[in-house]
Amino acid sequence: MAATIPTQIRIEENTKKQAVELLEGLGLNLSDAVNMFLKQVILQNGIPFEVKYPEFKPEVIEAMEEAKKMSRDPNTKRYSSFSEALEDMDL
């Protein structure tokens, strides 16, 4: 077995907690998982997965486009606060 050296990394507390719980379910500890990741970085000659923004569902993209159009429309009613908009609604 190759010699190991202690390495310190910074991880957000909640991220570490969630990862450790998931990895334990797979029979791995965090150190093993990090070693696996780093070995894959070497084998793949880069990050071993695609890094990109998440893809949105078509209905989300449609809603975003509609919101853009509304924001540019001079006839769209404007509110100075959220409470003002709520008052205008029939709830």
Side-chain angles (χ1 to χ4, degrees), residues 7 16 31 38 44 49 54 58-59 73 77 80 82 86 88:
T7 303
K16 180 181 177 183
S31 183
L38 294 175
Q44 302 291 326
F49 48 82
E59 57 268 21
D73 183 354
K77 187 166 183 179
S80 59
F82 182 67
L86 285 176
D88 199 29

Side-chain angles (χ1 to χ4, degrees), residues 65-80:
E65 289 171 358
E66 182 181 357
K68 254 189 231 176
K69 287 178 190 173
M70 289 174 64
S71 71
R72 294 183 182 128
D73 183 354
N75 298 319
T76 299
K77 187 166 183 179
R78 310 275 185 218
Y79 299 96
S80 59

Side-chain angles (χ1 to χ4, degrees), residues 43-91:
L43 287 170
Q44 302 291 326
N45 199 29
I47 296 177
F49 48 82
E50 190 172 4
V51 178
K52 64 180 186 173
Y53 286 108
E55 293 183 22
F56 295 106
K57 294 180 179 179
E59 57 268 21
V60 172
I61 292 171
E62 186 179 322
M64 289 170 30
E65 289 171 358
E66 182 181 357
K68 254 189 231 176
K69 287 178 190 173
M70 289 174 64
S71 71
R72 294 183 182 128
D73 183 354
N75 298 319
T76 299
K77 187 166 183 179
R78 310 275 185 218
Y79 299 96
S80 59
S81 69
F82 182 67
S83 57
E84 184 182 335
L86 285 176
E87 288 174 12
D88 199 29
M89 298 171 102
D90 290 328
L91 297 177

Side-chain angles (χ1 to χ4, degrees), residues 14-30:
N14 195 39
T15 299
K16 180 181 177 183
K17 180 183 176 200
Q18 290 178 17
V20 166
E21 288 176 11
L22 189 141
L23 291 167
E24 284 176 352
L26 298 171
L28 296 168
N29 61 41
L30 190 57

